[in-house]
Amino acid sequence: MNTILWIITILAAAAYATGGTTMLVMSRERYRSIGKTQHWVDDFGAGHLKAIGAIKLIGALGLVLPVAVGIAPVLTPVAACGLALFMAGAATTRFRRSEWPYMAGDVVYLGVFAFLAWGWFTLPVT
């Protein structure tokens, strides 16, 4: 089970680190133009988007670093809980905008982070 947790953790962290970095380095207009699923950025200002990008990047680091270096490994499931809450907010934004197909992806990520939180909280780190 630890191997599965590590694989999912690394994949989720890579996805969020990439997304967070992209949001930090791209302008709001450029980020909106990268795909048809990014219209939610219309609801937020440029500063909000930078904060969202920073949260994603910090969350990605929080998923991997504590358990990888063995310093305060309890922070890994805490980061997973935080990202699950983050995705609940993302799903709420999609719900408010009636973007149902895209909201499904947010709910899947929420489930992944809930699984990671459960796994890292309950299984011993080896």
Side-chain angles (χ1 to χ4, degrees):
M1 184 64 165
N2 278 346
T3 304
I4 293 170
L5 277 177
W6 270 111
I7 291 169
I8 295 171
T9 299
I10 290 169
L11 290 174
Y16 267 67
T18 302
T21 303
T22 301
M23 290 184 83
L24 287 172
V25 299
M26 284 187 172
S27 68
R28 182 174 180 267
E29 294 74 26
R30 173 72 194 243
Y31 188 77
R32 186 186 189 284
S33 70
I34 63 173
K36 64 181 181 177
T37 65
Q38 304 305 331
H39 295 289
W40 61 269
V41 302
D42 296 337
D43 292 353
F44 298 95
H48 286 112
L49 295 179
K50 298 300 181 191
I52 290 169
I55 290 168
K56 287 174 117 177
L57 186 57
I58 291 167
L61 293 173
L63 280 178
V64 176
L65 288 180
V67 75
V69 298
I71 298 174
V74 72
L75 293 179
T76 291
V78 170
C81 288
L83 288 173
L85 291 171
F86 180 80
M87 290 313 300
T92 301
T93 298
R94 299 283 195 187
F95 180 83
R96 191 171 29 104
R97 293 178 56 86
S98 299
E99 296 176 340
W100 310 112
Y102 305 131
M103 188 176 83
D106 297 335
V107 171
V108 168
Y109 268 112
L110 191 153
V112 166
F113 292 127
F115 172 77
L116 290 175
W118 168 80
W120 287 114
F121 270 131
T122 59
L123 294 176
V125 177
T126 58

